[in-house]
Amino acid sequence: MADDTAQRIDDALASLVDAIIPIVADEDEGTADERHDDALELARSILDEYAQTVAQRRLLTNLSDLRPPGVPQENKSDRKYHRDGQPHSRPQSREALFVEFEASRNSGVNPVFSDTFSSAGLQRLPARQDRQVDYPSASGDAKSAQRKEEGSLPGIPIKPVLLAKHDSVTNPPETALLRDLPFTLQGLSSTNLPFALTSSVTLPPTLPIPILSLLHTLAEPSLLYQSLSRFVESSEGGLVGQSLRAAVGEELRSYLGLVASLEGEIRRALSTLGDNEPRGGIGKAGVTLKRCVIWTREATMGLRLMSLMVEESNDKRGGQLISLIHGFSSSHGDPFVGAFAERLLSHVTRPFYDMLRQWIYDGELSDPYLEFLVSEQRSVTNGDQNGDTRKGGATSVWQDKYKLDDDMIPSIMTQEFAKKVFLIGKSLNFIRYECGDSAWVESYSKSASKELRYGDTATLETSIVEAYKTTMARLIHLMADKFKLFEHLKALKKYLLLGQGDFIALLMETLSSHLDRPANTLQRHNLTAQLEHAILGSNAQFETPDVLRRLDARMLELSHGEIGWDVFTLEYKIHAPVDVVITPWGSKQYLKVFNFLWRVKRVEFALGTTWRRCMTGARGVLASVADKVGSDWKVARCCVAEMIHFVCQLQYYILFEVIEASWDTLQEAMTKSECTLDDLIEAHEKYLLAITHKGLLGSVRPSSSGSREDGFLAQLHEILKIMLTYKDAVDGLYSFSVAEFTRRQEMSAKIETRTAQGKWGITEQDDDDLRSPSPASTNRGGRGGSAGTDSPFPTNRMGMGNSEDQMLPSLRQRLQHLSSDFRARVNILLGDLAYQPDVDMRFLGVVMNFNDVYHPVRRKRKEGRNERDRRTTPKVNGAASGSGVSVREAG
């Protein structure tokens, strides 16, 4: 059975060998048989070797059954394999290792087997070891020698021989292309690869497609190198752009180093080639176009990446350029791209970090090409040309000299970090030039200056935090101690916001006689003298000389018909650098609040004077004429008391609920740790806005119908004007009461005198003289006239003009009209306050109407309602304005 199997294997091998071995022409029969036997013997040896290998593997597989007790079984799922498919060996027992060693020692490995199953394949058929075989050749000894040199059997060509026979001759040959390749990679024209334009290279059309594909790949770095070389040689852009050119130039020099190494390898390989070898012996030389493609692949990626950066950086500069390159390192998934971008950033960011170091340590901006995140604006001296009244003086230096350019903030730092950097440099610059403390800035720069570079994030953050704390602390110290910022804020609150009550009361009392006169008759030296008198007579005399020197009295612009009350104001002068916080806009807000509070105080002073006169006269003069004007005085006193209550509640609300509460908030904001100058400016602006908004000093607001309604300030001005007009009417009633009292006294005296003389107590002419308001009527002789002048009964009394009967009804009508107008306007004001979002403003309405004596009315914002208001309002305004003029004339 075994013989039959062996016979079948031999027959199959013989048939296989006959089919594989080709028939050689002009070969004798003996040589052909001998060649056939050698091939058959080789096939048998291969099968024998394979059988031995299979037996060895089976033996090793079955060794697991021979493991002694205690040795764990190998899990096939845990078996790991080499690249060639062989499993990793695990530690085995001594018996298994011994059996494996004996099997490998007794079965020698045939080198033919290794060559056959190697990665290169079977290169030649081995000759028999027991005899030397000579292969005669029909073409002579030269062909036989060539065949022996090639290492192949006659009639059996190997792979290199077949490739050499079927290889078509290229024009130009690959060796010529390799010789020109170093020039092409440098962007230089050569014989076979000329550059037609700056952006194209001409390839030979006679080359096959595979060679053309390789040359296309190799032409890419050459074209990229040309464009990048032109970019490096240009001189456009700023400092960051030039640093990018320097970084690209350094990378191009590294690329030229690679080209030089490649050129050396090509020359060395070309020097070893022979003319008689297939393809010139390129395969044995080790340098081909394909290998050059592989060697330049990484350099091509770098050139491609730099070319992309250069194209996208055409319209970018400074921080924008840094953000562009940083985007490749932070958001690209390729590790090579990230590392390459990081290497470029280390060079590109050097000018940026130099500008950053000079900014945060010296407060100087060295940016000639506008590439830094801070930009210097045009110089502003006394306010913006567009009319922004918040600017001027040191305010413009702090707020307008430097600006933070958000577009130039690189992505390597956050927005908050950039704001700190901006604030540090601006503060140092302000300390140096506005505060006059350049010595401290220089010493700080020498002690704290450090070198900053990309990649050292910890050092950069530490430097910025330390510089921020040191600079802010120094600036706040200068503003608080050297320039007395907080003392000036307190002085403004005392004297412009009427916080110093004794000073304001004394000033108003001493100025009242002067301010009642027309405005064009006032002299400033008189106002200044009265101001000094009020200072010396109050606790203001204990203020520092600097504060008292800044306080001054002045007059506003004069208009026709105005009196002193309308143009007088106090002024507190602010100088640099304090005007950074107390800006010109802030000074105007203080002036606006002072004028309003001064007017309220004037109304309170006028009503108080009238009330004292009424109370003192009620026990004397007014009691004598109570039968005639007693009811009028009762109504007038109630209305005056109502107005005084309104003014007192308004003053209490503004001085305590608004100013004091806002002042406490300002104090808390200014005493916070790590408070900056910007924080002080912002807190002070909020303080002023809170006073003007909650203090009912808002501007006119538009209604839903498109018309404009009066704001709280306009409403309060009208109410205060009505109060002054009512006070003038009450003074007229008092004058009438005094005149009536005087008339009665004179009449009583005449009656007593005439009665004592035995005459009638009063005559008709005396009665006319007492009733007539004109002085001429009082000078008429009492004895010249008609015959009946001695009679006490006038003959034509009803026909004479009686001015007394006309004056009192006119006063009553005027007082009633003003009182009604006052109540109507207060009702509207309380209606508006009731719907305010601020709780303090709603509370003001509650305090003013604590006993529900008023009936608040909310104005309707419909067009019809507005039209009716327009028709009715002029009458009230006309009466009010007319009375206002009379007040000025009376004053």
Side-chain angles (χ1 to χ4, degrees):
M1 187 65 179
D3 295 338
D4 296 338
T5 303
Q7 185 64 35
R8 287 198 301 272
I9 292 175
D10 290 340
D11 295 339
L13 284 176
S15 301
L16 181 60
V17 170
D18 291 339
I20 293 176
I21 297 177
I23 300 175
V24 181
D26 300 334
E27 184 180 17
D28 57 355
E29 185 177 355
T31 304
D33 293 339
E34 184 176 1
R35 184 160 54 86
H36 181 274
D37 294 339
D38 291 338
L40 185 60
E41 185 66 25
L42 177 60
R44 287 173 180 171
S45 64
I46 291 173
L47 290 178
D48 293 340
E49 294 292 340
Y50 178 72
Q52 292 179 5
T53 303
V54 171
Q56 292 177 6
R57 291 181 179 177
R58 289 179 179 177
L59 178 61
L60 294 176
T61 303
N62 295 330
L63 286 177
S64 60
D65 299 335
L66 302 176
R67 294 180 183 274
V71 179
Q73 181 82 15
E74 180 183 3
N75 189 3
K76 293 184 179 180
S77 62
D78 296 336
R79 186 178 298 171
K80 298 181 180 180
Y81 292 87
H82 292 286
R83 291 184 178 180
D84 56 358
Q86 298 295 331
H88 287 288
S89 60
R90 301 183 102 187
Q92 302 178 3
S93 62
R94 295 180 180 180
E95 292 81 1
L97 292 174
F98 177 77
V99 173
E100 185 176 355
F101 172 75
E102 289 296 330
S104 62
R105 187 184 64 169
N106 295 331
S107 60
V109 179
N110 193 345
V112 178
F113 178 81
S114 300
D115 291 341
T116 304
F117 291 94
S118 63
S119 59
L122 180 62
Q123 298 183 3
R124 62 186 177 84
L125 293 175
R128 290 179 181 269
Q129 298 180 2
D130 54 349
R131 59 190 176 92
Q132 184 72 22
V133 181
D134 294 331
Y135 298 98
S137 176
S139 60
D141 296 337
K143 293 183 178 181
S144 177
Q146 182 179 359
R147 188 184 298 115
K148 290 181 180 181
E149 184 178 357
E150 292 176 358
S152 61
L153 295 176
I156 308 178
I158 60 176
K159 181 178 180 181
V161 178
L162 294 174
L163 290 176
K165 287 182 179 180
H166 296 282
D167 186 23
S168 61
V169 179
T170 59
N171 184 23
E174 189 173 356
T175 55
L177 297 176
L178 286 173
R179 191 177 293 110
D180 295 341
L181 182 60
F183 300 97
T184 304
L185 293 177
Q186 298 179 59
L188 302 176
S189 298
S190 59
T191 303
N192 300 310
L193 300 173
F195 282 86
L197 297 173
T198 56
S199 60
S200 63
V201 59
T202 303
L203 302 180
T206 58
L207 295 175
I209 294 178
I211 300 299
L212 287 175
S213 177
L214 295 176
L215 291 178
H216 272 290
T217 306
L218 292 172
E220 182 184 2
S222 62
L223 297 176
L224 293 176
Y225 176 80
Q226 275 191 340
S227 62
L228 291 175
S229 297
R230 291 192 297 270
F231 172 74
V232 171
E233 293 173 358
S234 63
S235 59
E236 300 176 356
L239 298 178
V240 179
Q242 293 296 332
S243 64
L244 176 61
R245 287 176 171 82
V248 172
E250 186 173 351
E251 294 295 331
L252 292 183
R253 286 190 291 271
S254 301
Y255 169 75
L256 291 179
L258 173 63
V259 173
S261 301
L262 184 60
E263 183 180 6
E265 292 293 334
I266 291 175
R267 290 185 177 182
R268 190 180 303 109
L270 293 179
S271 63
T272 59
L273 297 181
D275 297 336
N276 298 327
E277 297 182 359
R279 300 174 60 201
I282 292 296
K284 293 183 179 181
V287 179
T288 60
L289 290 176
K290 190 172 184 179
R291 290 189 178 183
C292 290
V293 170
I294 296 174
W295 290 341
T296 58
R297 180 176 299 172
E298 186 174 345
T300 303
M301 292 179 61
L303 294 173
R304 191 183 303 156
L305 181 60
M306 288 189 294
S307 178
L308 180 61
M309 293 179 181
V310 169
E311 290 179 0
E312 295 185 2
S313 65
N314 290 332
D315 55 345
K316 292 179 174 59
R317 55 186 172 85
Q320 298 174 343
L321 191 56
I322 295 175
S323 300
L324 170 66
I325 303 175
H326 184 257
F328 286 95
S329 65
S330 61
S331 60
H332 204 283
D334 192 347
F336 171 78
V337 175
F340 191 88
E342 288 286 331
R343 187 166 65 250
L344 285 180
L345 278 176
S346 62
H347 298 281
V348 174
T349 54
R350 287 178 182 176
F352 176 81
Y353 279 101
D354 290 340
M355 290 185 283
L356 178 63
R357 183 192 58 79
Q358 195 169 3
W359 174 254
I360 65 174
Y361 291 123
D362 297 330
E364 298 291 344
L365 181 61
S366 177
D367 184 20
Y369 298 99
L370 303 179
E371 297 177 298
F372 196 54
L373 55 90
V374 178
S375 60
E376 185 174 3
Q377 307 298 310
R378 60 182 176 86
S379 59
V380 181
T381 54
N382 288 324
D384 189 77
Q385 294 181 357
N386 296 329
D388 190 353
T389 57
R390 299 193 184 194
K391 302 175 182 179
T395 307
S396 60
V397 175
W398 176 260
Q399 295 184 350
D400 299 331
K401 185 176 182 180
Y402 297 106
K403 292 293 183 181
L404 181 63
D405 192 352
D406 295 335
D407 295 335
M408 288 298 166
I409 298 177
S411 58
I412 58 178
M413 62 175 58
T414 60
Q415 187 77 17
E416 182 180 359
F417 191 82
K419 289 182 179 179
K420 283 188 176 182
V421 170
F422 171 67
L423 194 57
I424 290 170
K426 187 171 67 170
S427 301
L428 288 175
N429 187 276
F430 188 79
I431 292 173
R432 181 192 293 269
Y433 294 106
E434 299 301 324
C435 298
D437 198 4
S438 59
W440 180 86
V441 176
E442 293 176 359
S443 62
Y444 164 75
S445 177
K446 292 179 181 179
S447 61
S449 181
K450 299 178 183 178
E451 182 182 1
L452 304 177
R453 61 181 182 274
Y454 177 75
D456 195 359
T457 307
T459 303
L460 178 61
E461 291 182 355
T462 303
S463 302
I464 294 300
V465 171
E466 292 178 355
Y468 182 80
K469 292 181 178 179
T470 304
T471 307
M472 293 302 106
R474 180 64 182 179
L475 183 57
I476 297 301
H477 169 73
L478 290 175
M479 296 299 291
D481 297 342
K482 182 178 180 180
F483 300 104
K484 310 296 182 181
L485 172 62
F486 300 136
E487 292 185 6
H488 294 316
L489 291 175
K490 291 180 181 178
L492 286 169
K493 176 178 175 292
K494 287 181 179 179
Y495 302 112
L496 294 190
L497 301 183
L498 309 190
Q500 192 73 28
D502 57 342
F503 165 78
I504 297 298
L506 183 58
L507 179 65
M508 184 164 290
E509 185 177 354
T510 55
L511 285 176
S512 60
S513 59
H514 296 273
L515 297 181
D516 287 336
R517 295 181 295 180
N520 54 6
T521 62
L522 295 178
Q523 300 295 330
R524 186 172 181 180
H525 64 273
N526 293 332
L527 301 179
T528 305
Q530 297 301 325
L531 175 63
E532 293 178 356
H533 174 72
I535 291 175
L536 295 177
S538 63
N539 287 330
Q541 60 181 323
F542 302 109
E543 292 285 351
T544 60
D546 182 50
V547 171
L548 297 178
R549 185 173 59 253
R550 294 172 182 268
L551 190 62
D552 190 16
R554 67 184 184 92
M555 294 183 293
L556 301 176
E557 295 182 1
L558 301 179
S559 299
H560 179 69
E562 290 184 337
I563 61 175
W565 291 103
D566 300 325
V567 298
F568 173 79
T569 185
L570 284 181
E571 181 184 18
Y572 192 85
K573 299 177 182 179
I574 299 296
H575 304 293
V578 181
D579 58 351
V580 170
V581 179
I582 308 172
T583 61
W585 172 84
S587 299
K588 290 185 177 181
Q589 295 300 110
Y590 278 112
L591 183 61
K592 180 180 179 181
V593 177
F594 171 79
N595 289 334
F596 175 70
L597 292 177
W598 181 255
R599 179 170 296 186
V600 174
K601 205 72 176 177
R602 174 207 173 182
V603 172
E604 182 194 22
F605 178 78
L607 291 177
T609 303
T610 300
W611 180 262
R612 287 194 298 271
R613 181 185 299 178
C614 294
M615 292 297 102
T616 55
R619 295 187 294 270
V621 177
L622 301 182
S624 301
V625 294
D627 57 334
K628 189 172 185 179
V629 293
S631 60
D632 298 328
W633 275 111
K634 183 177 180 181
V635 174
R637 281 194 294 266
C638 290
C639 190
V640 169
E642 186 177 339
M643 293 179 178
I644 292 176
H645 169 75
F646 179 87
V647 172
C648 291
Q649 294 300 326
L650 181 62
Q651 282 192 97
Y652 165 78
Y653 168 75
I654 296 177
L655 295 178
F656 292 95
E657 298 294 338
V658 176
I659 295 179
E660 289 297 334
S662 301
W663 175 258
D664 293 340
T665 305
L666 177 64
Q667 292 293 98
E668 293 178 2
M670 288 186 171
T671 54
K672 285 184 179 179
S673 59
E674 300 182 0
C675 181
T676 64
L677 187 58
D678 280 335
D679 295 336
L680 293 181
I681 296 174
E682 183 180 2
H684 185 252
E685 287 186 358
K686 290 182 179 179
Y687 168 68
L688 292 178
L689 290 176
I691 290 176
T692 54
H693 173 68
K694 296 177 64 176
L696 310 180
L697 303 181
S699 59
V700 178
R701 62 182 184 273
S703 65
S704 58
S705 60
S707 61
R708 297 173 65 85
E709 297 179 353
D710 292 339
F712 291 115
L713 182 61
Q715 295 184 56
L716 290 174
H717 280 327
E718 292 297 329
I719 293 175
L720 295 178
K721 190 182 296 184
I722 292 174
M723 290 181 181
L724 291 176
T725 307
Y726 192 84
K727 177 257 181 188
D728 180 66
V730 171
D731 289 343
L733 180 62
Y734 186 83
S735 299
F736 176 82
S737 301
V738 171
E740 178 68 18
F741 174 77
T742 304
R743 185 184 65 81
R744 291 185 179 187
Q745 291 293 331
E746 291 180 355
M747 186 177 297
S748 298
K750 282 184 175 293
I751 292 174
E752 291 178 359
T753 303
R754 288 181 179 273
T755 303
Q757 294 177 357
K759 300 180 180 179
W760 294 100
I762 187 170
T763 64
E764 179 180 357
Q765 186 175 359
D766 293 335
D767 190 20
D768 293 338
D769 293 340
L770 291 175
R771 295 176 183 272
S772 176
S774 61
S777 63
T778 59
N779 295 328
R780 286 181 296 181
R783 300 183 182 272
S786 61
T789 54
D790 197 35
S791 175
F793 303 102
T795 58
N796 194 15
R797 185 172 181 179
M798 299 299 298
M800 298 178 58
N802 191 352
S803 60
E804 294 181 1
D805 297 337
Q806 297 177 359
M807 183 180 297
L808 184 59
S810 175
L811 287 175
R812 289 174 177 173
Q813 183 180 1
R814 188 179 183 188
L815 289 173
Q816 183 180 2
H817 174 74
L818 291 175
S819 176
S820 301
D821 193 8
F822 170 75
R823 285 177 173 270
R825 292 187 177 275
V826 171
N827 288 333
I828 294 175
L829 178 64
L830 295 180
D832 291 343
L833 290 175
Y835 295 96
Q836 290 299 312
D838 188 78
V839 62
D840 293 332
M841 298 179 71
R842 295 198 303 269
F843 180 73
L844 173 62
V846 174
V847 171
M848 288 183 174
N849 193 23
F850 69 96
N851 55 356
D852 292 334
V853 68
Y854 300 107
H855 303 284
V857 177
R858 188 180 185 185
R859 290 181 291 182
K860 297 181 181 180
R861 298 183 179 182
K862 296 181 180 180
E863 190 65 23
R865 181 65 176 176
N866 291 333
E867 291 295 333
R868 288 193 298 272
D869 291 341
R870 293 192 190 100
R871 290 194 299 268
T872 57
T873 302
K875 298 180 181 179
V876 179
N877 290 340
S881 60
S883 61
V885 173
S886 65
V887 171
R888 295 191 186 99
E889 292 175 354

